[in-house]
Amino acid sequence: MTETREKPAPAGAAIDTVDAVIVGAGFAGMYMLHKLRQLGFTAVVYDAAAGVGGTWYWNRYPGARCDVESINYSYSFDPDLEQEWEWSERYATQPEILRYANHVADRYDLRRDIRFSTRVTAASFDESAQRWSITTDQGDDVSAQYLVMAVGCLSTSKMPEIPGIDVFRGKWYHTGHWPHEGVDFTGQRLGVIGTGSSAIQSIPIFAQQAAHLTVFQRTPNFSLPAKNAPLDPDEFTALKARYPEHRHEARTSAFGVPNPLPEKSALEVSDAEREATYEAGFEKGSLVGMLLSYNDLITDKAANDTAAEYVRQRIRSIVEDPEVAEALAPTDHPIGTKRPCLDTDYYATYNRPNVTLVNLRKTPLVEVTETGVRTSEREYEFDSIVFATGFDAMTGSLVAFDIKGRDGVMLKEKWAAGPRTYLGVATAQFPNMFMITGPGSPSVLSNMMISIEQHVDWIADAMTYMREHGKQVIDPTLESEDEWTEHVTEVGNTTLYPTANSWYMGSNVAGKPRVFLPYIGGVGPYREICDQVAEKAYDGFDLT
Ligand code: FAD
Ligand code: NAP
């Protein structure tokens, strides 16, 4: 894997006063910078990474690729960019997506306002100046009218809460911080902990390299075949001709991907019809396609069971050892309520003689030892261990450093019982602070590119409105925040999502409050709500 154009701009440069500080140079921070510049605002971006791309900068494990089709998982704000960029595969690899991020940074000359390898360490709202003071680990001290948090929903990686990691004498890695030079496990005894999307993408490749691969699974996940393939140039050209319509469909859809909404219940059709529908969904290689097979899969357990059982049967038909197949077939959560995955040869990998599955439900992990991993049953020896153990999702990076709002209120204290936001874009007592894809917005339940662009456009419009109306401070009222937070929970409770122990619920982090973090009202309806708030002079916000 080669590094491209990661020339860190010097940190600590003499930027003292800007209109906006943007934290994060992933797809959210990059577009925010471009948009603000276009509107004549000054902005500086900070990122702990040495290059742009966020998720795609950090997650370089083998097999990493998007699971929303590249024709959808890409910016739509500039038709020229859309037309000139060529995706090579249906689901682009991490290196290709990172090349795209670098292309965007070059095309719009973004780097001159990005300070790389610089972590924001504190931000506080200065009541007298009505501005934010932001400090970094490189000694920057900046005053900004606005603070835009583009810190990412899945950017604070998480290690398992087991002792002994420090004593392991071999090498260990986390998928979310993969070495830039790559890792070759050829001939090694390799252990992988976790079976979420990152593991499911990388395990088939690890299995081809390692002498022996041992996978430690706590919860099996539902995964569908990605059916990845090179993009047909003619089809891509045809799509480009109707990109505006295609993007419009995505923006008004449920999940940010064009897909017709189903009208039928899974329980009102014959077994044969249902089977045929699931087969078509499964063979399509699309998560949204499968989950939108019927209109009640995410709201009705009996309906969901039919889809879950279909996928379990497919797993049993691939995996030769019946005991391994049963261990891999998820039964403890409805399909869709933990983030499902798209894979290439994941289940078939367990038919290889050099792959072992350890079911941690039967023999829990106890500790990492000097030479490997110990479960309640025995010790396993490894040359390397990969932790594919995920992230402190949605709130982790927002509360990772001290953000102090009005009256000295700290964000992490305000959110101790769970995040409270208005529209997932702002939180009361933290004036002029915006969050891109924050908790309480569709974010991770959508094609994130669509949700990022919607938030960036909305935030930029709000800042423009403030400027045009001579306003200095925008702050959601506590009432609007309470109502929205309640609404997010209520809508979540009409679905099966809260029944699962997922990172959507904060369940993967010890001590994190159990709250449904994203908004499941749908990308299209959510956009309408945000637009109406703006049309009504930012209803629910105090503007002073
Ligand atoms: P990020 O890309 O996470 O960028 C945030 C940046 O903020 C990071 O670079 C981080 O270093 C920086 N940062 C955070 N805190 C600080 C701080 N205090 N100081 C300085 N810098 C800071 N979504 C989809 O829609 N489709 C997909 O197929 C898909 N695949 C994914 C695959 C993986 C492996 C992962 C982990 C996530 C995936 N996602 C996917 C979600 C993905 O995170 C988003 O699609 C998108 O890339 C998020 O962009 P972002 O700019 O909001 O955040
Ligand atoms: P994840 O989905 O949270 O998976 C983490 C895995 O580690 C789970 O299997 C979890 O088990 C396991 N785990 C955590 N702590 C453990 C412990 N102490 N002992 C044993 N097992 C433990 O993380 P991820 O795979 O990195 O994916 C996170 C999200 O990023 C995805 O859901 C998706 O949104 C995005 N992503 C997308 C893609 C893609 O295909 N484009 C690829 C990667 C990531 P439990 O389930 O039991 O907690």
Side-chain angles (χ1 to χ4, degrees):
M1 227 175 286
T2 50
E3 266 311 279
T4 52
R5 297 187 201 82
E6 296 189 350
K7 294 177 230 144
I15 300 160
D16 302 313
T17 305
V18 283
D19 293 323
V21 159
I22 300 165
V23 191
F27 284 127
M30 290 168 71
Y31 178 41
M32 192 78 239
L33 172 63
H34 173 62
K35 183 85 189 181
L36 290 184
R37 270 192 196 160
Q38 278 186 320
L39 293 166
F41 290 101
T42 56
V44 62
V45 183
Y46 291 103
D47 202 305
V52 295
T55 289
W56 306 102
Y57 174 90
W58 296 109
N59 292 263
R60 299 175 187 231
Y61 59 84
R65 55 175 81 236
C66 53
D67 62 1
V68 166
E69 286 169 87
S70 309
I71 54 168
N72 295 314
Y73 190 71
S74 45
Y75 285 125
S76 68
F77 65 83
D78 183 343
D80 292 339
L81 170 67
E82 227 168 39
Q83 291 299 321
E84 77 198 11
W85 184 261
E86 300 290 336
W87 292 109
S88 64
E89 293 177 73
R90 181 181 183 193
Y91 294 107
T93 60
Q94 172 273 329
E96 187 168 11
I97 301 172
L98 189 58
R99 274 200 297 282
Y100 175 72
N102 277 293
H103 169 74
V104 172
D106 287 344
R107 196 183 195 287
Y108 303 100
D109 188 20
L110 298 181
R111 284 189 187 77
R112 70 184 150 88
D113 288 322
I114 307 179
R115 305 289 168 261
F116 293 117
S117 306
T118 305
R119 185 169 284 283
V120 171
T121 47
S124 64
F125 187 70
D126 178 346
E127 200 82 52
S128 55
Q130 308 268 31
R131 296 177 70 83
W132 282 93
S133 297
I134 293 110
T135 52
T136 75
D137 64 357
Q138 299 298 315
D140 305 71
D141 195 347
V142 195
S143 165
Q145 186 180 357
Y146 295 98
L147 173 63
V148 183
M149 301 296 284
V151 292
C153 295
L154 295 158
S155 52
T156 295
S157 61
K158 199 201 136 270
M159 291 292 283
E161 302 82 3
I162 46 169
I165 291 161
D166 298 346
V167 303
F168 180 58
R169 288 203 305 254
K171 296 239 164 105
W172 65 265
Y173 309 89
H174 189 289
T175 48
H177 295 274
W178 204 255
H180 290 198
E181 63 280 12
V183 188
D184 184 358
F185 295 113
T186 302
Q188 292 196 17
R189 296 161 304 167
L190 174 64
V192 173
I193 298 178
T195 48
S197 302
S198 302
I200 282 176
Q201 287 187 329
S202 52
I203 280 169
I205 299 169
F206 293 152
Q208 287 166 24
Q209 292 177 359
H212 197 91
L213 171 67
T214 307
V215 178
F216 294 88
Q217 170 189 277
R218 190 165 62 184
T219 313
N221 230 319
F222 288 98
S223 187
L224 309 178
K227 305 276 171 183
N228 186 44
L231 264 186
D232 177 339
D234 293 339
E235 273 180 38
F236 194 23
T237 304
L239 172 91
K240 280 183 170 179
R242 60 174 300 275
Y243 237 144
E245 294 91 320
H246 184 83
R247 299 294 200 180
H248 176 74
E249 286 164 28
R251 290 185 196 113
T252 51
S253 69
F255 294 107
V257 176
N259 201 90
L261 281 180
E263 284 167 10
K264 284 186 187 170
S265 156
L267 303 176
E268 73 180 62
V269 299
S270 68
D271 290 353
E273 181 180 336
R274 206 165 43 229
E275 180 89 1
T277 305
Y278 289 150
E279 182 167 353
F282 195 83
E283 296 299 333
K284 221 188 218 172
S286 151
L287 291 175
V288 168
M290 186 71 178
L291 292 173
L292 289 180
S293 295
Y294 293 104
N295 64 13
D296 49 0
L297 292 187
I298 60 164
T299 52
D300 184 311
K301 179 69 168 49
N304 187 287
D305 282 345
T306 63
E309 185 50 29
Y310 178 85
V311 177
R312 284 193 289 265
Q313 276 171 19
R314 296 295 296 246
I315 296 170
R316 290 179 194 120
S317 74
I318 300 169
V319 180
E320 288 157 8
D321 180 327
E323 197 184 334
V324 177
E326 273 326 299
L328 287 166
T331 51
D332 77 335
H333 64 278
I335 185 169
T337 56
K338 277 173 90 106
R339 176 67 149 69
C341 315
L342 284 186
D343 72 86
T344 301
D345 298 332
Y346 176 64
Y347 293 113
T349 296
Y350 291 93
N351 296 334
R352 294 174 65 106
N354 70 331
V355 176
T356 306
L357 180 72
V358 177
N359 184 347
L360 297 177
R361 293 285 178 213
K362 289 192 173 160
T363 57
L365 270 187
V366 175
E367 60 177 346
V368 178
T369 65
E370 283 188 13
T371 52
V373 164
R374 190 195 312 280
T375 65
S376 60
E377 183 190 43
R378 54 164 279 205
E379 182 161 357
Y380 297 82
E381 293 196 345
F382 298 120
D383 301 300
S384 300
I385 302 174
V386 171
F387 294 97
T389 43
F391 302 88
D392 181 354
M394 302 215 62
T395 53
S397 296
L398 288 165
V399 298
F401 65 95
D402 284 344
I403 307 183
K404 201 191 286 178
R406 282 194 206 279
D407 306 323
V409 176
M410 304 295 283
L411 188 62
K412 63 178 82 142
E413 284 165 14
K414 176 179 169 181
W415 285 6
R420 306 191 67 75
T421 70
Y422 182 38
L423 304 173
V425 81
T427 184
Q429 291 173 290
F430 292 80
N432 291 3
M433 183 181 98
F434 295 114
M435 295 167 289
I436 302 177
T437 66
S441 73
S443 56
V444 292
L445 291 174
S446 70
N447 165 11
M448 289 282 281
M449 290 300 252
I450 288 287
S451 291
I452 284 170
E453 287 190 330
Q454 186 248 335
H455 266 184
V456 168
D457 291 343
W458 192 93
I459 292 165
D461 285 350
M463 287 172 60
T464 306
Y465 180 94
M466 299 277 291
R467 184 171 62 186
E468 284 171 358
H469 290 78
K471 304 285 185 191
Q472 268 248 291
V473 176
I474 178 167
D475 195 3
T477 65
L478 273 171
E479 297 73 43
S480 54
E481 175 174 289
D482 287 348
E483 269 173 40
W484 183 256
T485 304
E486 202 178 311
H487 174 64
V488 170
T489 305
E490 264 174 18
V491 180
N493 286 342
T494 65
T495 73
L496 299 168
Y497 281 93
T499 65
N501 285 325
S502 64
W503 58 256
Y504 294 137
M505 298 295 300
S507 313
N508 66 327
V509 177
K512 194 165 170 174
R514 199 180 154 76
V515 172
F516 185 54
L517 296 165
Y519 178 57
I520 182 71
V523 161
Y526 171 79
R527 176 183 293 268
E528 277 176 32
I529 295 169
C530 291
D531 288 350
Q532 281 163 16
V533 166
E535 277 158 25
K536 289 188 201 152
Y538 295 90
D539 192 22
F541 288 90
D542 279 335
L543 272 57
T544 50

